[in-house]
Amino acid sequence: MRGRNRILIIWITLLIGLCLQIIPWSPSYSMFKPHLLILIFAYWLIALPHRIGIGTAFIFGVVIDLCSGSILGIHAFIYSCIAYLLVFKFQLIRNLALWQQSFIIFGISVCYNLLVFLFQVSIYHTITISPLILLSSCIDGLLWVVIYLFLRLIRRSFAIN
């Protein structure tokens, strides 16, 4: 498989993650919704930081802003910050055990939720957070193992490097 087709596989997984991220959930179950796009980005940023970077995270953040109807740039800023943190320490994260990486992904998810909350408070002057929002972060941490193993299988089967 040629180089262009290998990069296309990465973009396809990101687009699938984007589609799954913008699917609306009922308000009673929205606290359980995982951040699949962040999980897929985290994998590619840790595995291949030279292929997917902060600019790509920014672009997908703008698309999330457009699809969710939030103020343009909020998710772009948050995704860029998360991408920076992951790219900055990708060697350390890559060398950790999978269960340790799950805790880091849990922390990244908590940071995402807190940054969204801070933007909502500062822009809309409304408080829409509950302790149940940590359930989403816990689900992200647990789902990381599945996403990691699945995307690693894809990366190895298509020889993406």
Side-chain angles (χ1 to χ4, degrees):
M1 192 174 233
R2 292 179 305 156
R4 251 185 222 167
N5 292 339
R6 292 178 183 152
I7 293 174
L8 186 63
I9 298 295
I10 295 172
W11 280 92
I12 289 171
T13 59
L14 288 171
L15 289 174
I16 290 171
L18 176 68
C19 291
L20 292 173
Q21 187 67 40
I22 62 176
I23 292 175
W25 285 34
S26 80
S28 58
Y29 294 113
S30 66
M31 67 191 84
F32 300 111
K33 184 177 181 180
H35 305 105
L36 292 171
L37 185 59
I38 290 177
L39 293 174
I40 294 171
F41 256 118
Y43 176 80
W44 290 119
L45 287 167
I46 293 168
L48 301 169
H50 59 281
R51 297 276 185 212
I52 300 296
I54 298 170
T56 308
F58 184 85
I59 291 168
F60 275 87
V62 168
V63 173
I64 289 287
D65 284 331
L66 292 172
C67 292
S68 67
S70 63
I71 294 178
L72 193 62
I74 290 176
H75 285 91
F77 174 75
I78 295 171
Y79 277 41
S80 298
C81 290
I82 289 171
Y84 173 75
L85 291 174
L86 290 171
V87 168
F88 183 65
K89 291 292 184 180
F90 82 96
Q91 286 287 4
L92 171 73
I93 298 169
R94 184 188 293 179
N95 290 322
L96 293 174
L98 197 53
W99 65 272
Q100 292 170 324
Q101 290 179 8
S102 291
F103 282 110
I104 290 176
I105 295 300
F106 170 78
I108 292 289
S109 181
V110 168
C111 289
Y112 172 81
N113 289 329
L114 287 176
L115 285 172
V116 167
F117 170 71
L118 289 174
F119 276 113
Q120 284 179 349
V121 168
S122 64
I123 294 171
Y124 301 118
H125 303 292
T126 59
I127 297 176
T128 58
I129 195 167
S130 76
L132 295 176
I133 199 76
L134 289 177
L135 285 175
S136 172
S137 298
C138 289
I139 290 171
D140 286 344
L142 294 173
L143 201 57
W144 170 249
V145 176
V146 176
I147 296 287
Y148 177 88
L149 293 174
F150 178 70
L151 289 177
R152 184 176 69 173
L153 179 70
I154 289 175
R155 184 172 59 108
R156 288 183 176 171
S157 64
F158 288 102
I160 301 170
N161 52 15

